[in-house]
Amino acid sequence: RYHNLYVVNTGSGVLGKLAINTDGTPQAGAQVDVLARAADGTNWDDFAIGGQGTVFAVTSGGNTVVRIVEGREQEIIAGRKYSMEIDQPTAVALSRGDIEGEKLFVVTGGGALAPGNEVVGGQVLVVDL
C-alpha cells in the first residue's frame, strides 16, 4: 500500500506527485510524476487536493485558480492574468463541514503586482465549484 505526496516547485513551475510508503519514504524506484507545468510567466504557489485526485492550484504571478485533472488540460476556473479580480493568490483550501456545496477559499497577497502597480489589499475569496 502506498500514498501520493503532492508537491510544487515554484522555481521550475512543476506540480507533481510521488508515490510514498505509509512511513513517508519514497516507494522503491519512484519518480516524480509531473501533473502540470505552470503557464509561461506564472508559477504555482499553493494547492488543494479534491476528490479523485483533482488538484486546485493558485498561480500568484498569473492571478488565477486552476483545476488540474490528471491526464487532461489545465482549466482556469477563476481569475485571469493581468487582472485584479484575484490579485496574487497565495493560498487555497477546500471547504469542509456544514458548508453547502463544494467551495474553494483563496487568500490573496494583494501587493503591488497588479496592473499599473496598483496596490490591492489582501482578500479571502470564495470560488464555487
Side-chain angles (χ1 to χ4, degrees), residues 58 64-65 86 89-93 104-108 123-127:
V58 293
T64 57
V65 179
I86 300 177
T90 189
V92 63
L104 280 176
F105 295 94
V106 178
V107 177
T108 68
Q123 301 170 303
V124 177
L125 305 168
V126 177
V127 177

Side-chain angles (χ1 to χ4, degrees), residues 89-110:
T90 189
V92 63
L94 279 163
S95 59
R96 295 188 273 182
D98 293 335
I99 295 174
E100 187 174 322
E102 195 171 27
K103 300 178 185 317
L104 280 176
F105 295 94
V106 178
V107 177
T108 68

